[in-house]
Amino acid sequence: MAMKVGDKVPHFTAKDSKGIIFDSSTVIGKKPTVIYFYPKDDTRVCTEQACSFRDSYQDFTDLGAEVIGVSGDSTTSHQKFSEKYQLPFTLLSDNDKKLRNLFGVPTALFGLIPGRVTYVIDEKGIVRLIFDNLSGKIHIEKALQMLKKIV
């Protein structure tokens, strides 16, 4: 079942780019969080999106927010992607689609491509914005707009 605005984000764990288990309870419910799901590391639109989050990362941290990227790529792929583009935020590996299913992230283009969806979550762990759009860069703008309203 897809997550909706107003829902509380359930607890989850996943491996980060270093192969370390990330526990959502270290962030969710403690500070505003932006979780963005993207199709694939090192592809044109996904790279543009990740680099836009990187370039605006200070704006997010100034608002007290954490940014987390999620795709089905391996931890090794995430590590290379993160190092290549100097990404300062956490990337989680969702190769079993557990997180996509938990959040209800749809697939795009007739089910061929994993969806690109951004969730803005407040400091209580409540989803405040769900933005589903294949364009990468606009996600950053929408997430910052919502964060400015809720912090």
Side-chain angles (χ1 to χ4, degrees), residues 7 76 112:
D7 286 353
T76 303
L112 299 174

Side-chain angles (χ1 to χ4, degrees), residues 79-143:
Q79 186 173 23
K80 289 177 184 173
F81 185 53
S82 186
E83 288 173 4
K84 182 176 181 179
Y85 295 103
Q86 300 172 347
L87 304 178
F89 48 84
T90 300
L91 294 179
L92 298 179
S93 179
D94 188 35
N95 55 359
D96 59 1
K97 297 186 174 119
K98 183 177 85 174
L99 296 181
R100 281 188 178 279
N101 291 333
L102 180 68
F103 279 78
V105 177
T107 55
L109 297 177
F110 311 107
L112 299 174
I113 298 174
R116 183 182 312 280
V117 182
T118 296
Y119 297 82
V120 176
I121 303 152
D122 69 17
E123 72 283 349
K124 295 177 183 160
I126 306 299
V127 176
R128 300 295 299 268
L129 173 74
I130 300 172
F131 185 71
D132 182 353
N133 190 294
L134 287 178
S135 173
K137 290 183 178 180
I138 195 167
H139 288 252
I140 291 81
E141 177 184 327
K142 295 291 186 185

